[in-house]
């Protein structure tokens, strides 16, 4: 006999739905427990109680892999709507109080991970009821997520001019030439750009914003790029330079400790540093939630302060 809606509601708890959502998304009882601060037996107990309330199995093991059942998939769909409604309710109630609340989903390209913490610190002090998540991706993925309208806001440099995007520039992204301490180039009275670029240049993968900025500069200046090695992150390149594998052009913010310790040196080279603006970006047609608008307003109002913070970081 089907459960009445009154009986069903009386037997369900919000915690059960939260636990189910974590298991469904992570496909693991243990990972869900880690996320929620629960033991695996506690997670199993919550799922078992939920299955008893619904009179349906929600998950099943095939071998050692966890799969959801048809009932589990349908419940996940309903829970998605429930949690979305609760988020909207939180936002609306906060608005009635003159506050900003809700989720803010940010995506930052790899290099921007050095900038984002400084942006968020004061913003979260102003709006403690905003829940922020940050995903760090490469430039190609960031562009794809912009195209798919997956997130709220994207923080990146080199914003495409051929796409319907709105961007708010807020800080210079200073790309500097770096060599390891004791490099032979440092013995020269002057270093030409081509001397530097021909000294075993280490570069990011194709599609990286840093690489694109350097390629555009070299094309404009008619300089030849001779790549010695490609690496997948700025940190990998930084350590490769310190290990003596070559030279590189890196965001200054990503190498501040190494500069202060003298492990990396910025030589004087005509045409450098390269400067591109960090921007907060979203599709032009996107509806701005209160938390998005609050973040954009905060960035706009504090541009001078960000410049001051990062100038001090670099000194």
């Amino acid at each position: 006999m089907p459960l009445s809606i009154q009986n069903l509601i009386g037997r369900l708890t919000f915690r059960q739905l939260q636990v189910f959502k974590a298991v469904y998304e992570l496909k693991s009882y243990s990972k869900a427990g880690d996320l929620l601060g629960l033991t695996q037996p506690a997670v199993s107990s919550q799922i078992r109680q939920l299955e008893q309330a619904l009179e349906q199995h929600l998950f099943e093991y095939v071998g050692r892999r966890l799969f959801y059942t048809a009932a589990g998939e349908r419940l996940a769909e309903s829970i998605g709507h429930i949690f979305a409604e609760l988020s909207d309710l939180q936002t609306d109630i906060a608005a009635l109080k003159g506050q900003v609340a809700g989720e803010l989903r940010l995506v930052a390209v790899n290099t921007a991970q050095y900038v984002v913490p400084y942006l968020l610190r004061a913003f979260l002090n102003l709006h403690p009821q905003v829940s922020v998540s940050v995903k760090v991706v490469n430039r190609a993925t960031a562009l794809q997520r912009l195209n798919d309208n997956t997130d709220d806001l994207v923080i990146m440099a080199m914003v495409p001019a051929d796409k319907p995007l709105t961007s708010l520039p807020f800080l210079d992204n200073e790309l500097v030439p770096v060599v390891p301490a004791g490099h032979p180039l440092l013995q020269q009275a002057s270093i030409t750009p081509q001397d530097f670029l021909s000294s075993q240049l280490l570069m990011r993968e194709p599609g990286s914003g840093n690489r694109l900025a350097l390629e555009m500069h070299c094309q404009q200046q008619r300089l030849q790029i001779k790549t010695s090695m490609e690496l997948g992150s700025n940190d990998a390149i930084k350590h490769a330079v310190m290990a003596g594998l070559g030279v590189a052009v890196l965001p200054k913010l990503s190498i501040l400790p190494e500069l202060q310790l003298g492990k990396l040196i910025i030589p004087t080279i005509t045409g450098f540093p390269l400067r591109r603006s960090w921007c907060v970006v979203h599709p032009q047609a996107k509806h701005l939630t209160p938390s998005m608008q609050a973040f954009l307003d905060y960035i706009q109002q504090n541009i001078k302060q960000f410049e001051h913070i990062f100038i001090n970081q670099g000194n």
Side-chain angles (χ1 to χ4, degrees):
M1 179 178 178
L3 287 169
S4 68
I5 186 64
Q6 291 85 357
N7 288 337
L8 181 60
I9 292 174
R11 297 173 66 178
L12 297 178
T13 68
F14 182 81
R15 187 59 162 170
Q16 290 168 358
L17 301 183
Q18 186 183 39
V19 171
F20 170 85
K21 183 173 182 288
V23 174
Y24 178 87
E25 292 177 348
L26 297 173
K27 296 182 175 61
S28 167
Y29 280 51
S30 60
K31 290 180 180 178
D34 291 341
L35 177 67
L36 299 174
L38 298 173
T39 63
Q40 185 168 336
V43 172
S44 299
S45 176
Q46 292 285 346
I47 296 298
R48 186 165 55 251
Q49 293 173 34
L50 184 57
E51 290 178 330
Q52 291 170 353
L54 295 173
E55 299 179 353
Q56 291 284 337
H57 288 294
L58 302 174
F59 296 104
E60 59 187 6
Y61 277 100
V62 177
R64 294 186 176 181
R65 296 181 62 190
L66 185 68
F67 295 87
Y68 49 79
T69 64
E73 185 173 14
R74 181 65 184 87
L75 177 60
E77 181 182 344
S78 294
I79 288 177
H81 293 306
I82 292 169
F83 277 58
E85 286 294 327
L86 288 174
S87 178
D88 290 343
L89 176 62
Q90 179 191 29
T91 299
D92 292 343
I93 290 176
L96 292 173
K97 296 179 180 179
Q99 300 172 335
V100 177
E103 289 186 315
L104 179 62
R105 298 167 301 171
L106 300 178
V107 160
V109 296
N110 288 309
T111 312
Q113 64 185 297
Y114 305 103
V115 175
V116 172
Y118 296 95
L119 302 182
L120 291 180
R121 182 174 56 186
F123 174 75
L124 290 174
N125 287 338
L126 288 171
H127 305 292
Q129 297 191 54
V130 174
S131 174
V132 179
S133 64
V134 182
K135 185 180 290 292
V136 178
V137 301
N138 60 28
R139 176 181 169 82
T141 302
L143 292 174
Q144 184 60 54
R145 294 179 76 92
L146 269 173
N147 188 60
D148 296 340
N149 195 24
T150 305
D151 313 284
D152 291 330
L153 299 168
V154 174
I155 298 174
M156 65 186 302
M158 306 287 291
V159 180
D162 60 343
K163 295 181 181 296
L165 301 171
T166 297
S167 64
L168 172 61
F170 65 90
L171 184 70
D172 275 349
N173 177 26
E174 195 174 19
L175 303 177
V176 296
V178 293
V179 301
H183 193 278
L185 282 177
L186 298 175
Q187 304 304 315
Q188 297 181 196
S190 64
I191 305 170
T192 69
Q194 194 60 64
D195 287 341
F196 173 79
L197 295 169
S198 301
S199 300
Q200 295 182 297
L201 182 66
L202 308 176
M203 293 187 70
R204 288 285 303 275
E205 73 283 0
S208 159
N210 289 352
R211 177 169 179 151
L212 181 59
L214 180 58
E215 288 175 339
M216 290 176 61
H217 172 74
C218 290
Q219 184 178 17
Q220 292 167 358
Q221 300 300 316
R222 298 184 180 180
L223 297 169
Q224 291 185 343
I225 294 179
K226 298 180 180 180
T227 305
S228 170
M229 186 185 302
E230 292 181 359
L231 295 101
S233 71
N234 291 327
D235 277 345
I237 292 178
K238 173 176 67 177
H239 287 287
V241 173
M242 289 191 294
L245 293 178
V247 302
V249 176
L250 288 170
K252 187 175 181 180
L253 286 175
S254 70
I255 56 171
L256 296 179
E258 291 76 18
L259 292 174
Q260 292 170 355
L261 293 171
K263 293 182 178 180
L264 293 177
I265 308 295
I266 301 176
T268 300
I269 301 175
T270 302
F272 290 91
L274 309 181
R275 287 186 169 86
R276 300 292 185 272
S277 291
W278 287 118
C279 302
V280 183
V281 187
H282 63 81
Q284 287 179 0
K286 191 174 188 69
H287 170 72
L288 300 183
T289 66
S291 57
M292 290 172 60
Q293 188 62 61
F295 188 74
L296 290 169
D297 291 344
Y298 160 76
I299 294 294
Q300 181 72 64
Q301 294 162 9
N302 289 278
I303 288 175
K304 291 297 182 183
Q305 182 177 343
F306 297 144
E307 291 176 354
H308 177 72
I309 290 172
F310 289 107
I311 286 172
N312 288 340
Q313 285 282 317
N315 292 331

